[in-house]
Amino acid sequence: MSNKPKVSGFMNYLRKERIPTIFCAGCGNGTVINTFFNAMEMAELSLDNISMVSGIGCSSRIPGYIKCDSLHTTHGRPIAFATGVKLGNPDMDVVVFTGDGDAAAIGGNHLIHAARRNLDLTVICVNNSIYGMTGGQISPTSPKGSFASTTPYGALEAPFDLAKLVSGAGATYVSRWTTVHPLPLSNAIKKGLQNKGFSFIEVISQCPTYFGRKNRMRSAVEMMKYMKTHSVVKKKAKKMSEEELEGKIILGDFVNRNWPEFSEMLCEQVNEKSEKGLIDAIKSAYKTDL
Amino acid sequence: MIKIDQNLCKGCDICTEFCRKNVYEPSKTLNRKGVYLPVPVNIEECKKCNLCAILCPDLAITVEEDHE
Amino acid sequence: MNITRFFIQGNEACARGAIKAGCKFFAGYPITPSTEVAEDAAIILPKEGGTFIQMEDEISALGAVIGAAWAGVKGMTATSGPGFSLMQEHIGYAAMTETPLVIVDVQRGSPSTAQPTMASQSDMMQARWGSHGDYEIIALVPSSVQECFDFTVEAFNLAEKYRVPVIVLSDEIIGHMREKINIPDKVEIIARKMPEEGPETFLPYKAEPDGVSPMPPFGAGYKIHVTGLTHDERGYPDASNPETHTKLVKRLCNKILNHRGELTRVKELYTEDADIIVVSYGAPSRSAITAVKNAREKGIKAGHIKLEIVWPFPEEIIRSAAQQASDIIVAEMNLGQMVYEVERVVKSDAEVSLLPKIGGQIHRPEEFLEMIYKCQK
């Protein structure tokens, strides 16, 4: 395999004193960490220039294990904080780790607005269809009929299709993969990191502890096998009927387009209006002579 | 050479189940952390594709290149 | 130093004070009666090389300001009651993570959406206790357009010095009032402290003796972790450890409380020999001062204390006032908030009475005089 990941070096990217992680055995978060490092290397980016922002939930704990500047914020709001980080220093590569509850329920508004602005952020949403940190409650992406501690008789609500939602809101790169597809997922994250604009990578992941246990899939392996057999790449999905696609996870790039990016336009405007330009504002909190 | 970090492995079996060459088998006994570690019993089959390592949620697997 | 005179609104003065103090980032959301702060910032900031963004709500506005602070830029937001309520979670986050920033809260009639175009002082306790948990902030209350400028500058400097969110508690009257003010070319600016130690040994949450740590920006090689969870000196979560939590939260409070002296700012008038002292802050101070002067003309030993920094509360000043005067009148545009602080400090040393006012109007001097006469009897 030509693009074989050099996983053994990934340990150097971690805050070693903090591992093992708090994640349950078989949780998909660790696989997402590996694919991120693989993508970062492929995109030739460095943790020296990456700021990670996350909200609240299991996947939002990811940046805490990575040796980079990391902001572990409030529930649902990481994209708002990330907006400030990016505009405060547009030279930084800003990555957001979030989950389905964080990004799609409490933080849904920030998600669609950052996508609308096409702000240069790479948002990696680990979607495990459940609230893991609080003990297995239903989420806005849980499939209809699925069980959770707050839907003991089955969920009645229709789930969000996050990739479609964010595409519609104006993101310029949107892709969906699962934890069973680490190499295409790495490639999607790489494309997201390289895209100058709002990138959204939805990772369908397994929560064996809560989603699995409540929905008759007892192990991470069983859940991953389910994801593998129930996913269809976009190209193939196009040829399938709605009935055939029922219950299937559609994978691939949903959007990949070149639209003007917000921070770049804002910088241009500031440079036009001011003598000093935005570059003078960078790290200006440390200056007394302005 | 495949190294499994005893301190990191949580025994989820993902490597065992997803290795295309069936290199791993779960050990018969629990380690001191209460985990059935994966054992690379069919090491000669390993193609060093690193799939197990990138899937491993706990960064517990190191697949080393052979130095000739 | 050159000084230029302007005839502007209190809200505009806040925006200009911020920019003079080094603010390069404003994230806001429109709300009456604070919107002019954002509008003025939107005009001026880009000319000064700064960025303005209108966010999707007040929650994200304060979130973005916190993000910008960690990127190394001084930032602010402005809002009013309902928006201030939405910001409370992030005020707590900023207090916990020791993120310097400034919020201008132009108070309006409340609760709920109540009176968007009318003044009140109904967010005084919310500024102190609005977010959950034990924490300390600093709050200043301007009573003129000049003070809107001066106190916003001060707010930025205090935010940096103590690494806390600082709140300017303005109100609709002061915010929309136009007065002549002096704006100097340059103001004294306190810069954020960079660590002297390198990234290998620096502990981001190990405070210096004054309780405050230097704060490196993201992208400077320190690779720090910032979290609202209880964290150790490295910044790493240690949420179930009672010792770590106690030590952290006590330090967050004490870095303000141990500097009460430096953080006491009041203006006293005729208090040396006063029997009756009126305590007020913000807009009502204007009519209170007129009333106290009138009382003096009538031979009544009245005095006035105008609180400028309300949080931390100036306990010493009020305590000594109570030891001298027989009566203390607390005037506020609410049904009684700061009066609880005055009562707490005064105990039985003096008689404390409240002169409340709601509905959106300021107290008239006659109302103060009437209360002063009552106390005389």
Side-chain angles (χ1 to χ4, degrees), chain A residues 48 69-70 72 74 117 286, chain C residues 56 90 215 219 223 225-227:
Chain A
D48 294 344
D69 289 308
S70 49
H72 178 226
T74 55
R117 291 183 187 108
Y286 300 84
Chain C
E56 51 274 14
H90 285 173
M215 176 178 166
K223 298 187 177 169
H225 186 56
V226 180
T227 177

Side-chain angles (χ1 to χ4, degrees), chain A residues 123-259:
Chain A
V123 177
I124 300 168
C125 178
V126 183
N127 179 359
N128 59 7
S129 303
I130 203 130
Y131 284 75
M133 193 68 94
T134 46
Q137 295 76 32
I138 205 76
S139 108
T141 60
S142 308
K144 227 176 186 174
S146 61
F147 294 94
S149 67
T150 47
T151 52
Y153 313 115
L156 303 174
E157 298 172 28
F160 261 137
D161 182 327
L162 286 183
K164 267 193 189 166
L165 175 77
V166 179
S167 300
T172 44
Y173 180 71
V174 177
S175 193
R176 180 194 288 137
W177 292 96
T178 82
T179 46
V180 204
H181 303 87
L183 298 183
L185 172 60
S186 304
N187 204 38
I189 298 175
K190 179 197 88 171
K191 284 195 226 153
L193 290 168
Q194 287 172 333
N195 173 44
K196 184 81 192 162
F198 192 84
S199 307
F200 184 78
I201 295 101
E202 182 182 355
V203 190
I204 308 296
S205 181
Q206 72 277 14
C207 172
T209 305
Y210 290 111
F211 193 90
R213 206 168 61 189
K214 287 177 193 293
N215 292 281
R216 293 182 207 95
M217 285 185 279
R218 275 165 307 173
S219 69
V221 168
E222 200 177 327
M223 296 185 83
M224 289 171 81
K225 284 183 174 165
Y226 179 90
M227 292 194 287
K228 202 169 181 180
T229 50
H230 286 73
S231 50
V232 181
V233 289
K234 229 179 130 226
K235 217 171 158 184
K236 201 173 159 199
K238 268 186 186 165
K239 295 175 196 152
M240 292 164 71
S241 69
E242 239 170 78
E243 291 85 63
E244 286 172 313
L245 285 172
E246 186 66 38
K248 294 281 190 294
I249 307 162
I250 301 173
L251 306 178
D253 289 356
F254 285 68
V255 149
N256 193 357
R257 56 197 170 196
N258 193 10
W259 284 359

